[in-house]
Amino acid sequence: LLLAYKEREGHVEVPQGHSEQGFALGSWLQNQHLAHRHRRLDAHRQAQLERAGVAWAPRQLASALAFMRALQLLLAYKDREGHSNVPWKHVEQNFILGQWLSKKRTACRRGILDADQRAQLEKAGVVWDQAKVAFPDALK
């Protein structure tokens, strides 16, 4: 159910009162966080939750939420402009979206971009090698 929620919502930050198919998913996830905090979560379950995108530390959570906000801005840009090729200086709702995307491209090129983030950006239409896009577009 957590993976279905993630597929639909794009993240695993399930509100505590949320239910999926009659199951209290938000409460269940909160219990997993508590078990982790008190070191009662077995390693196999912890690994499964981490693969699903669960962030344990507040810094991880803040980073995940910041990524989701930026991704939503990218999707809004794509809906409006018809592509995800954001200019470097472009600002979307007081967020420097173009520079953020440039940093994600650099991280991808260096092999340090989180696989889940890469997949979400690809789903949003991000092209990693701008040179491959810019040249054919210039011929039109």
Side-chain angles (χ1 to χ4, degrees):
L1 293 175
L2 182 62
L3 294 175
Y5 179 92
K6 179 181 180 180
E7 179 67 27
R8 184 181 67 248
E9 302 295 329
H11 61 84
V12 293
E13 303 310 318
V14 183
Q16 188 168 1
H18 181 79
S19 292
E20 287 281 318
Q21 300 174 13
F23 178 74
L25 184 61
S27 296
W28 174 83
L29 186 57
Q30 179 66 26
N31 288 336
Q32 305 313 301
H33 278 278
L34 289 172
H36 179 266
R37 188 175 310 131
H38 296 291
R39 304 195 189 287
R40 289 183 280 128
L41 188 63
D42 72 56
H44 178 68
R45 182 174 285 185
Q46 179 177 333
Q48 286 180 304
L49 289 165
E50 287 170 357
R51 278 192 302 273
V54 172
W56 305 113
R59 183 173 178 216
Q60 286 177 307
L61 177 59
S63 176
L65 292 175
F67 175 81
M68 292 312 302
R69 177 181 180 266
L71 181 62
Q72 289 172 344
L73 293 173
L74 176 62
L75 292 171
Y77 177 90
K78 181 182 179 185
D79 286 347
R80 185 179 63 251
E81 303 296 328
H83 61 82
S84 296
N85 189 20
V86 182
W88 189 74
K89 291 185 177 183
H90 181 76
V91 175
E92 190 84 14
Q93 296 181 17
N94 296 319
F95 179 77
I96 307 171
L97 185 62
Q99 289 180 20
W100 174 83
L101 186 55
S102 177
K103 289 178 183 178
K104 293 300 178 185
R105 285 188 175 114
T106 299
C108 182
R109 206 170 33 256
R110 292 180 179 164
I112 58 173
L113 181 62
D114 177 80
D116 187 52
Q117 288 186 8
R118 180 181 175 135
Q120 289 182 63
L121 289 167
E122 287 174 354
K123 188 175 179 180
V126 170
V127 176
W128 299 112
D129 186 350
Q130 288 300 100
K132 291 180 180 178
V133 167
F135 185 76
D137 287 348
L139 291 175
K140 292 182 183 175

